[in-house]
Amino acid sequence: MTGLPVIRTGGYPRTVTSATTGSTEKLDLRVDRSSPVPLYYQLARQLESAIEHGALGPGSLLGNEIELAGRLGLSRPTVRQAIQSLVDKGLLVRRRGVGTQVVHSQVKRPLELSSLYDDLVAAGQQPTTQVLLSEIRPASAGVAAALGLAEGAEVHLFERLRLTHGQPVAFLSNYVPAGLLDLDTERLEATGLYRMMRNAGITLHSAHQTVGARIAAPEEAERLGEPEGAALLTMQRTAYDDTGRAVEYGSHVYRASRYSFDFQLLVRT
C-alpha cells in the first residue's frame, strides 16, 4: 500500500486510493469522537483542507460513500453529509459510474496588500497567466483620478486571465502609469505584478480596496468558464508605494464558485 494517502480515525489508519497524479501524499485526517464538533463537519473540513493544499488534486477519487464510511469507521449518513457539504461548495462532484471526484479547490484570499499570484503560489495552487491585452492608452477620468494623474495621461493597461490547475479563477484589468515598469507580455505571463514591482525597487505600502458582487455578463461567463448569470466577486484597488505615489489601479472579477475573501474581525476597544 506504499504511496497511498492514509486517513486516520480514532487512531486506526485507513487507506483511501486516488486516481490522480500528485494526490498520493499521505492524508493524516483524524476524527475526534469526544469533540462537540459534529463528525461530518470534522471530516468535511479536513477533506477541504487537503483539496485546498493540493493533497487531493483535481480528478482525485474519494470512492463512494459506502467504501469511505467503511474505511473511516463512520456511518454512511455522516460521510454523505460531509461529502454533500463539499459538493454544495463546488469542490466535489458525484459522477455516475466513477464516484465522488475532486473538481477544484476554492481560493481563500486574505484581505491584505498582496497579489493574487503570490497568494496562489503560497497556497500551492500552481497559477498560470494568459495576457489578453497589453497597450498604452490615454487615462479615462476614472482611471486618472484613481492614479492621481491628469485625464488623458498615458497609462499602461494590461488584461490577464489568471488560472489554477488549468481552470480560470479571475479576470484582471490593471493600469499603471506609463514608464513605471517594463511590462512585456512574457514577464506578465511568468510572474505577478507585485513581484515585478518589488524587483524594480518599488516598495508597496498601502492600498484602498472595494469589494463587491454582481452577475456575470455573457462575455465574462464564457471567459471564466461559468454559466451566464453566475455570481462574480468584484474588486477595485489602488495601491500606493512608500512615498504615497499611486502605482497601480486594478479592476478585477473573480469566480464566486472558486474564490472568496478571508479576513479576521476584531472588537474595537
Side-chain angles (χ1 to χ4, degrees):
M1 305 295 287
T2 302
L4 296 178
V6 173
I7 291 182
R8 300 180 184 275
T9 173
Y12 298 97
R14 301 175 185 272
T15 302
V16 176
T17 58
S18 173
T20 298
T21 301
S23 62
T24 57
E25 299 177 21
K26 291 184 178 180
L27 302 179
D28 189 19
L29 307 184
R30 298 176 181 272
V31 176
D32 183 0
R33 298 179 183 276
S34 65
S35 170
V37 178
L39 294 177
Y40 89 89
Y41 187 78
Q42 293 184 45
L43 174 59
R45 285 296 298 124
Q46 293 176 81
L47 288 174
E48 183 175 358
S49 178
I51 294 170
E52 287 177 357
H53 292 89
L56 290 173
S60 299
L61 294 173
L62 298 183
N64 63 41
E65 294 170 0
I66 297 176
E67 292 173 343
L68 192 56
R71 287 169 179 162
L72 297 177
L74 297 173
S75 69
R76 186 180 179 187
T78 296
V79 172
R80 183 186 302 122
Q81 191 173 6
I83 290 175
Q84 186 60 48
S85 69
L86 299 185
V87 171
D88 293 342
K89 287 186 175 183
L91 303 180
L92 300 177
V93 65
R94 291 187 173 97
R95 301 190 188 279
R96 186 179 298 275
V98 176
T100 303
Q101 194 169 26
V102 176
V103 181
H104 51 63
S105 58
Q106 186 180 54
V107 179
K108 293 186 176 180
R109 187 176 182 184
L111 279 180
E112 58 187 34
L113 185 51
S114 61
S115 72
L116 176 59
Y117 183 90
D118 289 341
D119 291 338
L120 292 173
V121 169
Q125 293 286 332
Q126 304 172 16
T128 56
T129 304
Q130 296 176 6
V131 176
L132 306 181
L133 174 69
S134 179
E135 65 180 24
I136 303 295
R137 63 165 56 180
S140 65
V143 171
L147 291 174
L149 302 173
E151 184 176 351
E154 288 191 339
V155 292
H156 193 148
L157 164 65
F158 45 102
E159 297 179 347
R160 297 165 293 164
L161 191 64
R162 185 62 45 77
L163 305 94
T164 63
H165 304 291
Q167 296 296 317
V169 174
F171 174 68
L172 316 173
S173 297
N174 291 83
Y175 302 81
V176 300
L180 181 70
L181 286 171
D182 180 11
L183 293 169
D184 63 88
T185 298
E186 184 176 357
R187 294 184 68 197
L188 285 169
E189 291 186 340
T191 188
L193 174 61
Y194 286 3
R195 287 193 180 191
M196 294 172 67
M197 287 186 172
R198 291 193 295 268
N199 291 338
I202 298 171
T203 302
L204 295 168
H205 178 266
S206 61
H208 179 267
Q209 178 169 292
T210 302
V211 177
R214 58 178 172 80
I215 62 173
E219 182 180 356
E220 292 173 324
E222 181 178 2
R223 181 184 291 139
L224 292 170
E226 290 281 0
E228 187 176 340
L232 298 179
L233 289 171
T234 65
M235 184 193 73
Q236 288 77 43
R237 172 191 284 180
T238 302
Y240 303 88
D241 67 8
D242 55 354
T243 70
R245 174 184 56 167
V247 293
E248 174 240 354
Y249 169 68
S251 179
H252 304 166
V253 292
Y254 305 86
R255 296 174 67 179
S257 63
R258 297 202 58 190
Y259 187 94
S260 64
F261 290 101
D262 190 23
F263 54 95
Q264 182 178 18
L265 302 177
L266 300 176
V267 175
R268 179 177 293 177
T269 58

